[in-house]
Amino acid sequence: INSAETTQIIADTLKTFRDTIDKYSELFPESRVSILVAPLSSGMIENKEIRKKITDQKKIIESINSYCGDNINKINVYDALYEHRNEHIYFSSDHHWTALGAYYAYAEFARSVGLEPTPIEKMEKVLLNSSWKGTAYSMTGDERTKEFSDELYAYLPTKENTMTVYPKNGEVSKKNGCIRT
């Protein structure tokens, strides 16, 4: 694929993304539609020599956001995650962010819609797995990643909460507290 073809593929992808967001906005005119584009962990690298070789995550997110209309709430998590880049916000054994990284994204979302995020100190930190194996090995088969593992935590709210579940079979039920695995 040459440069012109790559540019066209990116433009087509961004148009599809914009059209999808706009469609949700049309389908739910009384609702505020929000987008949150998650940066890759490579976007948190500080070394300038390495960063030159990696696609600029902040620019990609800004480009995607620029395709969306003013009626769309564009949540900037890049800056919050970059501010916390020296914390364990991405797994070493997987391409996803950790519960801590997800917390920082949640806090940015809450602020973007006018809510005060629950301080992380008011949540219960629960260790779910002390040697969690992410997708680095299972997706690549690369022996160098076979021994990678992480501690898998969850942050649970400590205040009382309930939810109503509406399953397909029609048997509505109420749940109290957090769902734990």
Side-chain angles (χ1 to χ4, degrees):
I1 295 178
N2 64 38
S3 180
E5 291 171 323
T6 301
T7 301
Q8 187 59 52
I9 290 169
I10 292 169
D12 291 346
T13 301
L14 289 173
K15 182 185 180 313
T16 300
F17 183 80
R18 182 196 63 224
D19 292 347
T20 302
I21 295 297
D22 288 345
K23 186 67 173 175
Y24 276 101
S25 186
E26 289 172 23
L27 288 171
F28 304 102
E30 302 300 316
S31 299
R32 178 179 15 192
V33 176
S34 299
I35 64 166
L36 184 157
V37 182
L40 301 174
S41 60
S42 61
M44 304 297 122
I45 294 172
E46 292 181 82
N47 183 306
K48 289 180 182 178
E49 290 305 309
I50 294 173
R51 282 186 73 114
K52 282 188 218 175
K53 300 173 186 176
I54 299 171
T55 306
D56 187 325
Q57 295 294 295
K58 189 169 185 172
K59 283 184 181 174
I60 288 172
I61 293 167
E62 288 169 353
S63 178
I64 290 169
N65 286 344
S66 74
Y67 274 77
C68 297
D70 292 337
N71 60 326
I72 305 298
N73 178 31
K74 301 162 198 82
I75 304 154
N76 175 14
V77 296
Y78 180 89
D79 292 340
L81 291 172
Y82 193 78
E83 180 181 326
H84 294 278
R85 67 191 171 280
N86 294 321
E87 298 173 37
H88 193 231
I89 58 173
Y90 288 93
F91 290 111
S92 60
S93 64
D94 193 281
H95 60 287
H96 295 99
W97 51 30
T98 63
L100 182 59
Y103 170 80
Y104 292 129
Y106 144 76
E108 289 305 309
F109 168 77
R111 284 189 278 276
S112 80
V113 295
L115 300 173
E116 183 64 33
T118 302
I120 199 165
E121 299 79 26
K122 294 200 180 223
M123 295 184 173
E124 178 187 0
K125 185 178 180 181
V126 178
L127 178 64
L128 301 176
N129 189 324
S130 61
S131 61
W132 184 72
K133 300 281 188 196
T135 58
Y137 179 71
S138 65
M139 290 182 79
T140 67
D142 188 326
E143 288 295 320
R144 296 172 295 178
T145 65
K146 192 173 188 174
E147 299 307 314
F148 289 1
S149 68
D150 289 283
E151 290 184 329
L152 180 62
Y153 287 94
Y155 291 91
L156 306 176
T158 55
K159 64 182 179 181
E160 208 170 297
N161 55 75
T162 61
M163 71 175 162
T164 304
V165 179
Y166 299 92
K168 289 182 180 180
N169 67 9
E171 296 177 22
V172 176
S173 63
K174 293 212 180 268
K175 305 279 185 193
N176 295 311
C178 292
I179 296 174
R180 294 179 185 240
T181 56

